[in-house]
């Protein structure tokens, strides 16, 4: 139930703003998205908790003999992902001014950045000196980054679908751009999770 | 809501209390208690039983009374009185359970502490170690700083259990218990202990989870592969008691049973003598012949279960 | 299908001038987005799995009539036991709660449908998929590590059955989450304007709490199962000590969900009981706010007690103490409910029909399970009875005596609304009496068995326990028989039952203001909130209470055809 107060106020905003658009039906989708993300964050919480428990009970963490993690690409990836959130936000600002071209531009850049992140991760996977089953740490590494990568992929698909729909210049407007907002909120969520993950897996 | 505050209620209350008090002591549901700790657990249970009986009679009594008293009369289609709440009453029935569970928590804490559950040094969890199936050198070194985690039951702070306990290593495998006496090198399928001397069991498992349960001693502890857990108790009653595996460990989980013999010091010495004479190689065979003291239970399945020599050898290896 | 949205639009525009076409039976077999259709779909599917799960229970009880594994092989016993537990929890009681939530929430708050009708239908259709997947595991060797699936056993016994089990639970868990998103959004945002949160029926409150638990708990189970699946298929060792992992971590993650899950299973029926009792006792619910907020309290506490399932496992002593204390505190909010229900009945004018009988049966048997629950919350005592039949007795009293009796009460109570027909009360009472006797006969002796030393999940046991086990077995046969009058009653009433009218119980919550069964968009016109949900007998002092209720109802229903 935590956080429901924030969501409620969000909802009320949407309630009034988009009430006209849907035949008198208030729009609950934003509320639903928040509830979903709350739930999804619990999945990550589960993974993180497992990781932290292993850390605290194992004599050495990462277990002795684990190859050093290469930090260059992950750091680059972090920079890309974090800045992509800002880039993406410009897209939303654009559509709020009815600037569809701006939306397409900024979302396009975000998509490229997202793809770059995934490619970076792919590179990291293929050049890792360890495998999924090398030891507990490497298993955790692949499970966590992999599950996050899956989320990035979904986020990327959302962005691409916004781009696809925005081919029709009238699809999104300053008063009607739920898809844009949803994709963006999801992307920020994935971003925040990455920062936590990065600290827990790479830095600690 | 008028609470009938007359003689009848008073009498009902007294009767209810008396029945609860009586039943709490005389339910006869528990098996024999064979240690001091078991007696304490029983007293705790008796108290809980008393409270539960009281609450049970109270609420079921109210329900039965309602069932008889407040039935709708034939042809009456009116509503009942519109009572929507009663704050003092609600406070009472919030406060009473709160007090009850407070008392129960404190009391349980006391009993648990007396059983040695909070003894941090004796019962430390050293975290999981890697199971060595072939080479002992694969064991990850213990993290020696990590000893604040208590697992299992240690020495009771009230008694001098800490003094000179008989140490026995217990290993659970599908589907048998293996007891190793490090002092004498005896390996046995049954547990023999002298009466009135503290026993410290170091429990672990060789394959999956098991749980070491002594119903007459009211103690149980999971045997966890890769961890060693301690269970300390002092038997006070001579006799033969079942040792049961209480954690699902496979198809023949139900057959994973053996016996605990609490013996006089002399009898115990004799048993030790008998088993150490046949030193070296033979003591394994002795151990597992004794499985046959439970003929009707496991014998028919022995083949399927496959208590084979190599799995035993393996156990012997990983357990030092 | 998506016609629903279009319909919505029309009925909005035309007001009450639209023709309402009735539901066709085919609709129930399609991807339909009407919450009422979905509710019925959930309910019927759940009942199907109840019979499967019950049949498996009868197999187990038959085996347990004798100490030796002579009826079925021990391995098959474990598979039966695992499937029984998993089916009963994930395919019977949780979906049955969702069934009522789907059917009732929009009606109770005066909405036309759920917030996300299509999502709702998706959530439903995951149920049969999951169910079929789980049942199909019988062909590859069903899982046999218990419904808890503790590794390392779950990693070594029936690999593919176990994997199917994991897939099933992941699917059903996702379904639950999607459902919960819907319930939460609908309840919080779609009430008719006059209904503030404190004049909302208590069932909605309990679904708020339930949904919160689903949303916070289920994802953690999913995480655990994903890791377990890795161990099983990819050879990692998260939970496998042989590779350096730790099985205890799985237990923590599993119970972080599965303890709250027991409240996910029972809270909807707490809510249902709070609806049933006032109507048939003709009295307002006693302590509305206390009951409403105690649901939230239970949900909150439910999130911080999970390790009470691990008192004899790898849980350090001081943690055991913490979890003991938090667990025991749950008795307080639950007690508030139990006492309030009794006070609701007290002094009422009880119409002892099947719904109320099941409601009262619910209180009396849930009480037993609750009392034993507090006992096993006590660490020293739980160390003795953990993983014995005492625990089996505890959870059947809360699950069967609690949730299932509540569910039957709800079925009898809302049957007229769902079908437009009354049930046969005589058959209903017979059903109740048989169930009540069977329930106590099956599960009461299990307490003693556990205390005396009979461990659970065994196919072979010590001969000294044979007598009590046979009592249980006979009891379980009575339970099997008890379902016969129920099935007959439902089928017969569906076709031949007396016509119900819109409000046969003269109840005040909104679902009774529309026709039975309700029309496709629920209400002919926006329903009026003219009374609190439980304002029974409000005017008894001034004028004849009954008159006024009837008057008001007539007024509300005036424009109805
Ligand atoms: C609907 C499901 C449901 C419900 C509601 C509950 C309710 C409770 N359960 Fe239960 N439980 C299960 C389902 C449920 N349980 C299942 C399925 C398992 C086994 C899982 C497995 O291992 O397979 C289990 C196991 C289980 C254990 C672990 C036992 C073990 O394995 O060793 C414990 C231990 O603390 C426990 C405690 C409780 C408590 C304290 C409550 C409380 O919520 C009860 C509160 C209610 C009351 C107390 C009654 C009413 C109150 C009053 C009248 C007030 C006055 C009362 C007092 C002051 C005592 N339960
Ligand atoms: C809501 C949950 C729920 C319900 C309703 C039940 C209902 C029943 N349970 Fe269940 N049970 C569990 C949840 C539930 N159980 C769980 C979670 C476990 C733990 C599993 C584990 O350890 O992993 C368990 C374990 C369990 C055990 C312990 C197994 C063991 O530890 O070895 C036993 C033993 O007697 C048992 C018996 C019964 C019986 C007799 C019923 C009866 O009430 C059933 C009555 C219903 C019927 C009899 C159906 C009637 C219909 C027919 C018989 C006709 C069949 C027809 C067709 C197929 C068309 N159950
Ligand atoms: Cu070993 Cu059960
Ligand atoms: Cu629990």
């Amino acid at each position: 139930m935590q956080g429901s107060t924030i969501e409620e106020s969000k909802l009320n905003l949407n309630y009034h703003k988009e009430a006209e658009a849907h035949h008198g039906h208030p729009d609950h989708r934003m509320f639903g998205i928040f509830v979903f993300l709350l739930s999804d964050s619990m999945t990550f919480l589960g993974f993180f908790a497992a990781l932290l428990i292993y850390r605290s009970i194992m004599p050495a963490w990462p277990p002795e003999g684990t190859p050093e993690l290469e930090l260059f690409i992950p750091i680059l990836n972090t920079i890309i992902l974090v800045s992509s959130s800002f880039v993406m936000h410009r897209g939303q600002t654009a559509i709020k001014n009815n600037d569809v071209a701006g939306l397409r531009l900024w979302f396009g850049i975000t998509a490229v950045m997202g793809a770059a992140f995934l490619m970076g991760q792919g590179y990291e996977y293929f050049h890792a000196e360890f495998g999924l089953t090398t030891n507990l740490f490497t298993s955790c590494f692949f499970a966590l980054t992999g599950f996050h990568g899956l989320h990035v992929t979904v986020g990327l698909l959302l962005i691409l679908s916004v781009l696809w729909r925005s081919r029709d210049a009238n699809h999104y407007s300053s008063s009607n751009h739920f898809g844009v907002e949803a994709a963006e909120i999801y992307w920020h969520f994935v971003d925040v999770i990455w920062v936590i993950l990065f600290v827990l897996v790479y830095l600690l | 809501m008028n609470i009938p505050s007359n003689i009848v209620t008073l009498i009902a209350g007294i009767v209810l209390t008396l029945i609860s008090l009586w039943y709490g002591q005389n339910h006869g549901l528990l098996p024999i208690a064979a240690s001091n700790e078991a007696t304490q657990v029983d007293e705790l249970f008796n108290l809980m039983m008393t409270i539960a009986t009281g609450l049970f009679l109270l609420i079921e009594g109210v329900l039965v009374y309602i069932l008889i008293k407040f039935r709708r009369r034939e042809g009456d289609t009116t509503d009942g009185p519109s009572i929507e709440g009663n704050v003092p009453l609600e406070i009472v029935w919030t406060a009473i359970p709160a007090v009850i569970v407070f008392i129960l928590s404190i009391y349980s804490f006391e009993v648990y502490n007396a059983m040695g559950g909070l003894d941090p040094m004796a019962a430390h969890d050293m975290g999981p170690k890697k199971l060595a199936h072939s080479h002992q050198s694969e064991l990850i070194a213990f993290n020696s700083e990590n000893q604040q985690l208590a697992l299992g039951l240690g020495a009771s702070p009230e008694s001098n259990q800490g003094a000179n306990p008989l140490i026995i290593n217990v290993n659970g495998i599908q589907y048998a218990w293996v007891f190793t006496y490090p002092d004498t090198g005896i390996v046995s399928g049954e547990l023999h202990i002298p009466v009135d001397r503290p026993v410290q069991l170091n429990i672990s498992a060789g394959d999956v989870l098991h749980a070491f349960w002594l119903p007459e001693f009211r103690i149980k502890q999971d045997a966890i592969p890769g961890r060693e857990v301690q269970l300390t108790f002092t038997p006070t009653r001579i006799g033969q008691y079942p040792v049961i595996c209480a954690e699902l460990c496979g198809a023949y989980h139900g057959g994973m049973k053996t016996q605990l013999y609490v013996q006089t010091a002399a009898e115990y010495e004799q048993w030790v003598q008998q088993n150490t004479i046949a030193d070296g190689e033979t003591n394994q065979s002795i151990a597992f012949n004794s499985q046959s003291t439970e003929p009707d239970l496991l014998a028919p399945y022995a083949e399927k279960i496959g208590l084979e020599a190599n799995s035993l050898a393996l156990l012997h290896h990983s357990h030092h | 299908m998506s016609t629903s949205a279009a319909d919505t639009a029309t009925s909005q525009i035309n007001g009450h001038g639209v023709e309402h076409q009735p539901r066709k039976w085919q609709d129930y077999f399609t991807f339909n987005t009407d919450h009422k259709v979905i509710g019925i779909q959930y309910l019927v599917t759940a009942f199907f799995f109840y019979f499967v799960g019950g049949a498996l229970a009868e197999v187990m009880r038959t085996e347990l009539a004798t100490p030796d594994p002579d009826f079925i092989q021990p391995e098959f016993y474990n598979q039966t036991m695992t499937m029984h537990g998993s089916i009963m929890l994930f395919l019977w009681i949780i979906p049955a709660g969702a069934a009522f939530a789907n059917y009732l929430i929009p009606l109770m708050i005066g909405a036309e449908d759920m917030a996300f009708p299509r999502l709702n239908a998706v959530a439903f259709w995951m149920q049969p998929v999951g169910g079929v997947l789980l049942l199909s595991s019988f062909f590859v060797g069903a899982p046999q590590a218990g419904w808890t699936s503790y590794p390392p056993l779950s990693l070594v016994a029936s690999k593919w059955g176990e994997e199917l089990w994991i897939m099933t639970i992941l699917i059903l868990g996702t379904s639950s989450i999607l459902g919960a998103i819907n319930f939460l959004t609908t309840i919080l945002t779609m009430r008719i304007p006059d209904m503030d949160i404190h004049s909302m029926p208590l069932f909605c409150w309990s679904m708020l709490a339930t949904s919160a638990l689903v949303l916070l708990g289920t994802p953690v189970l999913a995480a655990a199962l994903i890791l377990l699946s890795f161990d099983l298929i990819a050879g990692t060792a998260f939970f496998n000590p042989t590779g350096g992992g730790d099985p205890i971590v799985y237990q923590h993650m599993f119970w972080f969900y599965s303890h709250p899950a027991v409240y996910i299973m029972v809270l909807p029926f707490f809510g249902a009981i709070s609806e049933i009792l006032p109507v048939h006792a003709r009295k307002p619910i006693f302590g509305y706010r206390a009951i409403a907020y105690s649901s939230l309290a239970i949900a909150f506490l439910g999130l911080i007690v999970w390790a009470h399932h691990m008192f004899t496992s790898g849980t350090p002593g001081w943690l055991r103490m913490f979890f003991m204390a938090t667990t025991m505190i749950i008795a307080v909010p639950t007690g508030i409910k139990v006492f309030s229900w009794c006070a609701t009945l007290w002094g009422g004018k009880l119409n002892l029909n099947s719904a109320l009988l099941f409601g009262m049966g619910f209180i009396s048997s849930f009480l037993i399970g609750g009392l034993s629950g507090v006992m096993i919350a006590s660490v020293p005592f739980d160390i003795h009875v953990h993983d014995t039949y005492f625990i089996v007795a505890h959870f059947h009293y809360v699950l069967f005596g609690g949730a299932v009796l509540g569910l039957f009460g709800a079925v009898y109570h809302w049957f007229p609304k769902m079908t437009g027909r009354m049930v046969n009360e005589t058959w209903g009472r017979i059903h109740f009496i048989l169930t009540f006797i069977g329930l106590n006969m099956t599960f009461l002796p299990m307490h003693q068995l556990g205390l005396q030393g009979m461990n659970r999940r065994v196919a072979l046991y010590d001969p000294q326990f044979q007598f009590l086990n046979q009592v249980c077995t006979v009891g379980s046969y009575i339970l099997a028989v008890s379902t016969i009058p129920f099935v007959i009653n439902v089928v017969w009433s569906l076709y031949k039952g007396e016509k119900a009218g819109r409000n046969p119980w003269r109840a005040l919550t909104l679902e009774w203001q529309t026709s039975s069964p309700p029309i496709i968009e629920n209400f002919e016109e926006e329903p009026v909130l003219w009374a609190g949900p439980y304002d029974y007998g409000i005017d008894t002092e001034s004028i004849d209470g009954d008159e006024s209720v009837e008057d008001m109802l007539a007024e509300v229903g005036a424009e109805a055809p």
Side-chain angles (χ1 to χ4, degrees), chain C residues 229-511:
Chain C
S229 196
F230 268 114
D231 278 6
L232 198 65
I233 302 296
T236 54
F238 291 106
F239 307 130
N240 193 346
T242 321
D246 186 3
I248 307 301
V249 176
Y250 172 84
Q251 296 181 11
H252 278 291
M253 294 175 85
F254 179 84
W255 288 114
F256 182 84
Y257 163 75
S258 289
H259 177 77
V262 309
Y263 298 109
I264 295 172
M265 297 165 207
V266 84
L267 276 170
F269 303 105
F270 282 178
I273 291 300
S274 307
E275 301 297 330
I276 295 169
L277 299 183
V279 174
H280 299 287
R282 310 308 303 164
K283 263 188 79 208
I285 191 89
F286 193 98
Y288 173 92
R289 290 198 182 207
I291 295 186
Y293 286 102
S294 63
S295 294
L296 299 185
I298 290 175
F300 171 72
L301 288 170
L303 285 169
I304 51 167
V305 303
W306 73 89
H308 66 211
H309 296 272
M310 301 165 58
F311 282 154
T312 72
S313 163
T315 314
W318 57 272
L319 260 184
R320 298 184 193 190
M321 292 297 108
F322 169 78
F323 283 107
M324 169 173 86
T326 49
T327 305
M328 285 198 174
I329 295 173
I330 300 189
V332 177
T334 320
I336 292 176
K337 282 183 190 286
V338 169
F339 292 124
S340 300
W341 289 327
C342 289
T344 305
L345 294 171
W346 189 276
K349 297 188 172 174
L350 271 61
N351 179 12
L352 280 181
N353 53 21
S354 318
L356 188 58
L357 280 176
F358 272 103
M360 292 179 75
F362 162 92
I363 303 177
S364 74
S365 8
F366 178 78
L367 175 72
I368 301 178
L371 293 174
S372 62
V374 171
M375 291 181 180
I376 54 182
S378 164
V379 175
F381 178 63
D382 184 63
I383 288 180
H384 176 49
V385 293
H386 171 70
D387 263 333
T388 67
Y389 264 81
F390 193 88
I391 307 300
V392 178
H394 158 70
F395 68 70
H396 282 94
Y397 265 101
V398 276
L399 276 168
F400 193 89
V404 176
L405 290 198
L407 190 154
F408 279 126
V411 169
Y412 283 110
H413 182 73
W414 280 290
F415 188 86
K417 182 49 60 185
M418 291 173 171
T419 64
R421 306 270 185 174
M422 303 300 286
V423 284
N424 179 308
E425 288 299 337
T426 314
W427 281 111
R429 293 198 179 104
I430 294 174
H431 175 208
F432 172 73
I433 290 166
L434 282 176
T435 310
F436 199 71
I437 295 173
L439 153 72
N440 286 294
M441 197 165 156
T442 314
F443 301 118
L444 197 63
M446 289 184 183
H447 290 104
Q448 186 175 357
L449 283 174
L451 288 167
Q452 296 278 339
M454 178 162 166
N455 44 350
R456 62 189 276 207
R457 296 168 162 176
V458 295
L460 49 159
Y461 59 86
D462 201 294
Q464 62 166 323
F465 302 126
Q466 181 165 15
F467 173 70
L468 284 177
N469 268 298
Q470 286 176 341
V471 175
C472 298
T473 301
V474 173
S476 76
Y477 292 159
I478 297 180
L479 278 180
V481 172
S482 78
T483 50
I484 297 173
F486 173 73
V487 173
I488 295 178
N489 194 357
V490 165
V491 174
W492 185 85
S493 304
L494 204 54
Y495 296 103
K496 295 276 164 60
E498 195 189 321
K499 282 257 186 325
R502 55 174 62 202
N503 192 354
W505 310 127
R506 298 182 299 132
L508 298 181
T509 38
L510 290 183
E511 79 267 29

Side-chain angles (χ1 to χ4, degrees), chain A residues 1-2 4 8 11 15 23 25-26 28-29 31-33 35-36 38-40 42-43 45-47 50 53-54 57-58 132-133 135-136 139-140 143 147, chain C residues 8-9 12 112 115-116 177 181 184-185 188-190 208 212 214-216 219-220 222-223 226-227 230 234-239 244-246 249 253 256:
Chain A
M1 286 308 304
Q2 302 100 315
S4 75
E8 214 160 352
L11 158 94
Y15 191 106
H23 313 287
H25 281 274
H28 314 293
R29 290 175 296 181
F31 187 91
I33 298 259
V35 176
F36 171 76
L38 174 75
S39 194
D40 201 16
M42 289 304 291
T43 328
L45 195 83
F47 283 128
I53 298 176
Y54 289 135
I57 59 178
M58 290 301 159
L132 176 63
T133 56
N135 64 30
L136 195 54
S139 304
C140 285
F147 195 67
Chain C
T8 311
Q12 278 291 320
E112 286 157 0
F116 312 112
I177 292 176
I181 293 176
L184 203 68
T185 313
L188 288 179
T189 70
M190 289 176 67
L208 270 187
V214 170
L215 291 168
L216 297 176
V220 179
I226 290 171
L227 296 184
F230 268 114
T236 54
F238 291 106
F239 307 130
D246 186 3
V249 176
M253 294 175 85
F256 182 84

